[in-house]
Amino acid sequence: MKQQMETHTYQLQDNGIFPNSTLPVVHYRNAIELSFFRPAHQLGKLFNMNGWSNQQDGGIFTYHHYHSNTHEVIGVYKGKTFVLLGGENGKQIVVHKGDILVIPAGVAHRNMGREKDACCITAYPDGKDYDIHTGEAGERPAADQRIAAVDLPAADPLLGEDQGICAIWRNMHIAHHSL
């Protein structure tokens, strides 16, 4: 019997090295029951249907990195691993087959195991080309300016329009801008 999907959010603050985000990371545990044959294709098709493309098939990098020009979705289709979010003193979580992790622009993430411990499909809203930053001196404030200019996605990569991150992030975005 498949377990019920759980939605977890993780708020990660700027730590001086990594900007992180006012938007939370959204972790859908047990999000999707994957077929035995071609599970990567199944995830890719789902993400495409919801407007998340420019897909890559691989693992999660084993060094801290973030994207300043786009959000990212990671769908795990095989294995499991520990992911550290937010930098050295951030939040460590486990992701496994069937999980989907939506990471806002600016949030550092790192695989704490081996790169291929979890096989994943990654994608980006509207097929955006992504950049990679590693917390090196000189990345900021230009990276911060790019992060601030990233639009909210039109659809959640799993649940579609007006659901999931669309509702969660929209409410956080409105609250942040009304301060």
Side-chain angles (χ1 to χ4, degrees):
M1 180 177 191
K2 177 145 173 60
Q3 293 179 323
Q4 185 85 5
M5 181 177 83
E6 300 171 14
T7 303
H8 300 273
T9 59
Y10 312 107
Q11 192 71 51
L12 300 148
Q13 304 299 318
D14 186 328
N15 68 4
I17 297 170
F18 297 109
N20 293 309
S21 181
T22 58
L23 302 173
V25 172
V26 177
H27 181 193
Y28 298 116
R29 285 192 50 92
N30 301 308
I32 184 169
E33 191 165 336
L34 294 164
S35 62
F36 180 76
F37 295 103
R38 302 180 68 206
H41 176 75
Q42 183 183 353
L43 277 171
K45 187 174 176 182
L46 173 67
F47 295 160
N48 269 330
M49 184 175 69
N50 289 313
W52 291 64
S53 55
N54 186 20
Q55 297 171 3
Q56 311 296 316
D57 184 343
I60 301 170
F61 295 143
T62 57
Y63 56 89
H64 293 291
H65 67 285
Y66 68 95
H67 311 292
S68 72
N69 64 338
T70 188
H71 310 297
E72 178 178 33
V73 62
I74 299 173
V76 182
Y77 68 85
K78 181 180 176 185
K80 76 173 190 177
T81 195
F82 290 92
V83 175
L84 183 59
L85 301 168
E88 280 305 321
N89 296 312
K91 173 76 174 169
Q92 185 168 293
I93 63 170
V94 63
V95 295
H96 58 81
K97 180 181 177 178
D99 284 6
I100 293 177
L101 193 61
V102 189
I103 303 174
V107 173
H109 47 291
R110 173 187 178 199
N111 185 340
M112 299 302 288
R114 294 181 310 254
E115 188 169 327
K116 298 288 185 165
D117 283 350
C119 296
C120 309
I121 295 294
T122 59
Y124 308 86
D126 298 321
K128 182 80 174 170
D129 282 329
Y130 57 91
D131 60 10
I132 295 181
H133 296 284
T134 57
E136 299 298 319
E139 289 177 353
R140 300 173 75 182
D144 297 335
Q145 293 167 350
R146 285 189 299 277
I147 293 163
V150 174
D151 291 328
L152 295 178
D156 182 283
L158 171 67
L159 303 172
E161 292 181 20
D162 299 323
Q163 298 182 64
I165 63 166
C166 295
I168 295 167
W169 286 2
R170 186 178 305 118
N171 291 338
M172 298 290 297
H173 190 71
I174 291 167
H176 176 73
H177 286 290
S178 65
L179 296 177

